[in-house]
């Protein structure tokens, strides 16, 4: 495992996304299998796990917390808040200090921690970011010792720029992959200059960049790739990076024709890591072999300049015009 700097803490450049451990939006993963995934990741030297309070409404956090209680190494957990629907202040009104504090306390309880390493705003409305009160609330919680760092998971480049105006924002979590390349030329240099960590989510475009999905692939009823394929439940960009599924399958084939021979999923992760502004990439895994494959991506050789340029041109000409939703 290789490590990169996150505010003077070395974290694994290949992290572990745990949306799937909530057993709500990717199908069901029982606790034993979840523990096997977590153990495989940490045994490989992984030390950065990303979750959220809405992943199974606390299920993912509780499983991670149970695992942390028996782990024998330092593990840094990033969680997120702001999208809970529970009363009295459900989405999109979760943004008073009292509500944010309650949600932080719930995450601390689920994770069995006295302080959160990283708390992130979870794709909250752009207007809330512009108002700026949420940043003051997080600063207060930081001063009170409940959180060590705070960051923001954003949907658009505009939101990233708003957050970068707050220089104490430790990190931005962004959709960045071979189906979403344009952000690199938009704000990566500024983030790198400020020392703002960039966490790349949806690295495999919901599986399109594994090269294993076909037009005949069917997803379970509880899988967001079924019920949110067209953005019916939340931002369409979180599923297949906003590209219509059948078009995405064909576009993935085009990408594969540019890449050298090898494992497409690993190469897709490696492409992300080849950007020096990226601090960590957080692929999910529903099986132990997927963990091993994701971690192995860090050991691949860099792509040459010609390949990188060809991928950029293919994106601009063929993929970006097909992206739906805000970005």
């Amino acid at each position: 495992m290789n490590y990169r700097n996150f505010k003077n803490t070395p974290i694994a450049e290949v992290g572990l996304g745990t949306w799937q451990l909530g057993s709500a939006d990717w199908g069901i993963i029982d606790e034993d299998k979840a523990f096997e995934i977590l153990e495989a990741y940490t045994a490989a030297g992984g030390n950065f796990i990303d979750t959220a309070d809405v992943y199974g409404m606390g299920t993912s956090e509780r499983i991670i917390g149970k695992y942390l209680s028996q782990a024998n190494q330092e593990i840094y957990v990033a969680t997120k808040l702001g999208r809970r629907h529970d009363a009295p202040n459900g989405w999109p009104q979760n943004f008073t200090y009292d509500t944010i504090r309650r949600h932080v306390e719930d995450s601390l309880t689920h994770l069995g921690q006295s302080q959160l390493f990283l708390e992130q705003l979870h794709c909250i409305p752009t207007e809330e970011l512009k108002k700026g009160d949420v940043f003051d609330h997080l600063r207060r919680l930081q001063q009170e010792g409940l959180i060590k760092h705070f960051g923001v998971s954003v949907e658009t480049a505009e939101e990233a720029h708003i957050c970068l105006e707050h220089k104490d924002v430790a990190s931005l979590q962004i959709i960045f992959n071979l189906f979403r390349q344009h952000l690199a030329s938009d704000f990566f240099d500024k983030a790198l200059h400020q020392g703002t960590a960039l966490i790349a989510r949806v690295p495999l475009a919901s599986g399109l960049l594994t090269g294993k999905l076909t037009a005949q692939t069917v997803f379970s009823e509880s899988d967001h790739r079924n019920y949110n394929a067209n953005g019916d439940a939340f931002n369409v960009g979180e599923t297949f990076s906003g590209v219509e599924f059948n078009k995405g399958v064909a576009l993935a084939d085009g990408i594969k024709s540019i890449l050298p021979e090898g494992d497409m999923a690993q190469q897709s992760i490696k492409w992300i890591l080849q950007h020096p502004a990226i601090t960590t990439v957080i692929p999910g895994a529903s099986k132990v072999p997927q963990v091993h494959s994701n971690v192995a991506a860090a050991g691949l050789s860099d792509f040459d300049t010609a390949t990188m340029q060809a991928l950029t041109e293919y994106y601009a000409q063929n993929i970006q015009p097909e992206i739906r939703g805000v970005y």
Side-chain angles (χ1 to χ4, degrees), residues 50 84 118 120 213 218 223 234 271-272 317:
D50 179 81
R84 280 170 51 172
L118 175 64
Q120 303 160 99
L213 302 183
V218 177
D223 192 315
F234 44 83
W271 177 87
I272 297 172
Q317 295 170 11

Side-chain angles (χ1 to χ4, degrees), residues 130-172:
K130 288 180 177 178
K131 280 169 53 180
D133 293 349
V134 286
F135 298 106
D136 290 333
H137 300 335
L138 291 170
R139 290 180 185 111
R140 183 174 170 186
L141 291 166
Q142 189 179 51
Q143 292 167 357
E144 293 169 352
L146 295 183
I147 61 178
K148 185 171 184 178
H149 303 291
F150 62 87
V152 187
S153 181
V154 299
E155 298 282 11
T156 68
E158 178 194 10
E159 291 172 354
H161 282 289
I162 293 168
C163 296
L164 286 169
E165 293 304 308
H166 299 267
K167 295 187 178 180
D168 53 351
V169 169
S171 63
L172 292 177

Side-chain angles (χ1 to χ4, degrees), residues 66-204:
K66 189 172 180 180
Y67 181 78
L68 292 176
S69 70
Q70 63 183 45
N72 57 5
Q73 68 187 80
E74 191 74 43
I75 299 170
Y76 304 101
V77 176
T79 192
K80 298 182 286 291
L81 62 79
R83 298 194 68 87
R84 280 170 51 172
H85 290 260
D86 50 316
N89 295 307
W91 169 266
Q93 298 173 332
N94 290 334
F95 311 117
T96 65
Y97 168 77
D98 288 341
T99 301
I100 287 177
R101 183 186 174 97
R102 177 165 60 88
H103 292 179
V104 166
E105 290 173 339
D106 287 348
S107 290
L108 287 167
T109 298
H110 296 160
L111 292 166
Q113 303 292 298
S114 59
Q115 183 185 60
L116 299 177
F117 175 73
L118 175 64
E119 179 66 273
Q120 303 160 99
L121 299 173
H122 195 175
C123 303
I124 70 172
T126 307
E127 290 307 310
E128 293 293 339
L129 296 175
K130 288 180 177 178
K131 280 169 53 180
D133 293 349
V134 286
F135 298 106
D136 290 333
H137 300 335
L138 291 170
R139 290 180 185 111
R140 183 174 170 186
L141 291 166
Q142 189 179 51
Q143 292 167 357
E144 293 169 352
L146 295 183
I147 61 178
K148 185 171 184 178
H149 303 291
F150 62 87
V152 187
S153 181
V154 299
E155 298 282 11
T156 68
E158 178 194 10
E159 291 172 354
H161 282 289
I162 293 168
C163 296
L164 286 169
E165 293 304 308
H166 299 267
K167 295 187 178 180
D168 53 351
V169 169
S171 63
L172 292 177
Q173 189 173 133
I174 58 174
I175 300 175
F176 185 62
N177 58 45
L178 283 162
F179 273 76
R180 282 289 186 96
Q181 300 183 30
H182 62 280
L183 297 184
S185 59
D186 196 306
F187 58 82
F188 276 28
D189 286 347
K190 184 174 182 179
L192 189 60
H193 177 73
Q194 285 189 187
T196 305
L198 295 181
I199 302 169
R201 74 177 185 275
V202 199
L204 300 179

